[in-house]
Amino acid sequence: MAHANDFDVIICGSGPAGLTLAIDLARRNVSFALIDKAPHPFIGSRGKGIQARTEEVYEDLGVIDKLVATGGIYPIPRNYMPEGPVDKPDGPRPEPTPSEPYQIPLLVPQNLTERRLRERLAEFGHAPEYNCELVGFEQDADGVTARIATPHGEQVLRAAYLVGADGGSSFVRRAAGIEFPGKSLDVRSIVADVKVDGLSWEYWHRWGMGAPKQALSLCPLYGSDRLFQLMAMAPDGDVDLSAEGLTAVVRKCSGRDDLVVTEVAWASVYTMQARLAEAFQRGRVLLTGDAAHCHPPTGAQGLNTSIQDAYNLGWKLAAVLDGAPESLLATYEEERRPIAEGVLRMTKQLLDAAKNRGESRRGREVSQLDLGYRDSSLSLAGTERDKGVSPGDRAPDAPVTGAGGLPTRLFRLFQGTHWTLVGYEPGGSRIPEPRKGLHIHVVGGDILDTGGHFQNAYGLSPQEWVLVRPDGYVAAVSHDPGLIEAYLDGVGVNPVR
């Protein structure tokens, strides 16, 4: 543990949100401490579904290929009906498109996702520090002083900002005095990673889909030693999470006495919650992930929303620490709290459908590709568009060709920590001057829209410019380079003097 005053940011909690934030800060050369009170990394599969927009984030962070190789595509469900087992996908799987290259319904156990993120963080020379518990903090106008209990005694750290990524029971949130309104959903569940004799590992086995109290799911966990993730309603009272106890649960729900749980790698009983923090920021203390919002697991939205939180927060923290206006950091709550509120509403609706009608279908809404920030103060106002992208939208991908003749993609041009400005056939119009942290490309100049995919996705007219934020959302669309330059001045992306 380093001495006091050594850090820009203290991140409390090393789950997916904390690790994502740490990677984003590390690649921006922001100093931080990543601490966790747990003695070791999380070992369970809990949040196993990774949605399309998160896959795009993981590409930008440099981990998507390793995560796909670690996990796999969701297996075909085998639903056990009164008339017999039925093997049928929950719905059609969309194909990748030039603007949306990731449509993989990706299954990676959470412990393996975290492992890959830790490996990526190590490439930047950082690692979480375990057995380090935040026990108190005070903030003032210049920063936060935090007290950390370690195996070697209490230490004091000083940082400009403290981020609570410490889960639904967040110490940071409670100590900051931020309320966490919501309710328990009166649904008590078992989730466990188990080995089961008597079942094929190639299918996602599901019983009682129309009778939630008897529902049982056994989903193979790719990347594991042939484990299944078991999910079932928990009985009243104490729950026996031993192999014998879970065998009884499996047999009761499935009606099959030939199934045997032979090993329990991890198990938990929890009550589903629907809660949203009243604020995501209080002074120099910020919340991200489950510390800011708790969702039921329907639709696999909790982990994915948490990743998006951290991805939104990282570049803003780095920019403010580098001299951008502090008002930029206030847009974190402005943008992410409404998103979390909407996702929370959707997951409750999906849970109600599953409880009342046994429905398990998921549509495009769970991909998070259509979520954006059109109402944000960071989205250039006054831009009326009847085609293509608008400020606040996710910036689509598109295959393009470099002027040198080699194929590339917009996502490769966006990848990294910078802003990106793309002009469409500017002709003789003025090209904005270079700035630190801004990459400028010209369609019809250094890149060519050989397949028409850029124009299909963005809908620009000649001499129009699109400005893309570091987190891959459109900030501005304008014919006026001066308007773009004024916007960049306002967010601290300044010309080199």
Side-chain angles (χ1 to χ4, degrees), residues 430 432-437 482 485-486 488-490 492-497:
R430 181 173 68 86
E433 61 181 318
R435 295 168 181 243
K436 178 186 176 182
E485 290 171 330
L488 290 168
D489 290 340
V493 183
N494 300 312
V496 177
R497 303 299 184 190

Side-chain angles (χ1 to χ4, degrees), residues 219-270:
C219 184
L221 295 173
Y222 299 136
S224 72
D225 184 18
R226 300 186 71 82
L227 293 171
F228 290 90
Q229 185 189 68
L230 180 156
M231 296 188 72
M233 298 286 274
D236 295 334
D238 294 336
V239 180
D240 182 356
L241 297 177
S242 68
E244 294 77 12
L246 293 179
T247 295
V249 171
V250 168
R251 289 181 174 181
K252 179 180 179 181
C253 293
S254 68
R256 287 180 53 175
D257 290 339
D258 62 316
L259 302 182
V260 180
V261 174
T262 61
E263 180 182 326
V264 180
W266 170 80
S268 177
V269 175
Y270 71 100

Side-chain angles (χ1 to χ4, degrees), residues 321-337:
L321 287 163
D322 196 38
E326 287 193 11
S327 58
L328 179 62
L329 193 54
T331 67
Y332 167 64
E333 177 178 322
E334 177 192 347
E335 293 185 340
R336 290 308 300 170
R337 193 173 184 278

Side-chain angles (χ1 to χ4, degrees), residues 105-182:
L106 186 59
L107 188 162
V108 186
Q110 182 175 325
N111 59 319
L112 299 184
T113 293
E114 292 183 11
R115 182 185 301 175
R116 297 295 168 252
L117 293 175
R118 287 194 303 273
E119 290 169 353
R120 179 63 173 144
L121 185 60
E123 293 173 359
F124 292 102
H126 297 275
E129 297 189 66
Y130 295 99
N131 272 321
C132 293
E133 181 177 4
L134 181 68
V135 294
F137 62 85
E138 295 178 352
Q139 62 171 312
D140 52 48
D142 299 317
V144 179
T145 302
R147 293 183 290 110
I148 315 293
T150 79
H152 309 293
E154 186 173 291
Q155 298 191 20
V156 176
L157 300 182
R158 178 77 178 172
Y161 294 96
L162 169 67
V163 177
D166 49 342
S169 59
S170 170
F171 173 82
V172 174
R173 184 189 64 242
R174 288 183 281 112
I178 298 174
E179 296 296 325
F180 201 38

Side-chain angles (χ1 to χ4, degrees), residues 112-457:
L112 299 184
T113 293
E114 292 183 11
R115 182 185 301 175
R116 297 295 168 252
L117 293 175
R118 287 194 303 273
E119 290 169 353
R120 179 63 173 144
L121 185 60
E123 293 173 359
F124 292 102
H126 297 275
E129 297 189 66
Y130 295 99
N131 272 321
C132 293
E133 181 177 4
L134 181 68
V135 294
F137 62 85
E138 295 178 352
Q139 62 171 312
D140 52 48
D142 299 317
V144 179
T145 302
R147 293 183 290 110
I148 315 293
T150 79
H152 309 293
E154 186 173 291
Q155 298 191 20
V156 176
L157 300 182
R158 178 77 178 172
Y161 294 96
L162 169 67
V163 177
D166 49 342
S169 59
S170 170
F171 173 82
V172 174
R173 184 189 64 242
R174 288 183 281 112
I178 298 174
E179 296 296 325
F180 201 38
K183 63 179 181 179
S184 167
L185 298 178
D186 198 29
V187 178
R188 192 161 170 257
S189 296
I190 301 170
V191 59
D193 300 343
V194 299
K195 285 188 177 180
V196 182
D197 281 353
L199 284 180
S200 166
W201 201 61
E202 281 68 45
Y203 293 94
W204 180 3
H205 302 274
R206 305 193 302 198
W207 289 266
M209 301 310 293
K213 290 187 178 180
Q214 296 297 316
L216 169 67
S217 166
L218 287 165
C219 184
L221 295 173
Y222 299 136
S224 72
D225 184 18
R226 300 186 71 82
L227 293 171
F228 290 90
Q229 185 189 68
L230 180 156
M231 296 188 72
M233 298 286 274
D236 295 334
D238 294 336
V239 180
D240 182 356
L241 297 177
S242 68
E244 294 77 12
L246 293 179
T247 295
V249 171
V250 168
R251 289 181 174 181
K252 179 180 179 181
C253 293
S254 68
R256 287 180 53 175
D257 290 339
D258 62 316
L259 302 182
V260 180
V261 174
T262 61
E263 180 182 326
V264 180
W266 170 80
S268 177
V269 175
Y270 71 100
T271 301
M272 295 184 192
Q273 303 285 328
R275 298 185 182 277
L276 179 66
E278 65 174 3
F280 283 18
Q281 180 178 4
R282 182 140 303 165
R284 290 181 170 269
V285 177
L286 300 109
L287 305 177
T288 193
D290 287 352
H293 44 79
C294 284
H295 309 258
T298 39
Q301 297 295 288
L303 179 145
N304 291 275
T305 305
S306 298
I307 296 300
Q308 307 301 325
D309 288 348
Y311 192 56
N312 184 287
L313 178 58
W315 72 270
K316 294 175 180 178
L317 269 174
V320 170
L321 287 163
D322 196 38
E326 287 193 11
S327 58
L328 179 62
L329 193 54
T331 67
Y332 167 64
E333 177 178 322
E334 177 192 347
E335 293 185 340
R336 290 308 300 170
R337 193 173 184 278
I339 292 288
E341 186 174 21
V343 171
L344 185 58
R345 184 166 52 248
M346 178 185 68
T347 55
K348 289 193 290 184
Q349 291 170 349
L350 291 173
L351 179 63
D352 289 342
K355 289 196 301 182
N356 298 331
R357 300 184 295 278
E359 293 180 1
S360 59
R361 290 186 179 275
R362 307 287 185 263
R364 179 180 170 86
E365 71 276 8
V366 301
S367 73
Q368 301 202 355
L369 290 170
D370 297 329
L371 299 180
Y373 310 119
R374 285 195 179 189
D375 295 330
S376 169
S377 59
L378 284 183
S379 300
L380 188 65
T383 305
E384 298 292 337
R385 296 180 55 77
D386 56 8
K387 63 177 181 178
V389 296
S390 294
D393 291 349
R394 163 192 165 273
D397 195 11
V400 294
T401 303
L406 295 181
T408 187
R409 298 162 50 224
L410 288 185
F411 276 9
R412 291 205 182 110
L413 302 181
F414 298 161
Q415 187 173 22
T417 62
H418 55 273
W419 294 71
T420 307
L421 181 62
V422 182
Y424 184 68
E425 298 181 356
S429 67
R430 181 173 68 86
I431 295 177
E433 61 181 318
R435 295 168 181 243
K436 178 186 176 182
L438 175 68
H439 292 191
I440 302 175
H441 301 282
V442 174
V443 177
D446 63 312
I447 57 175
L448 307 174
D449 188 19
T450 47
H453 298 296
F454 174 85
Q455 182 61 2
N456 288 340

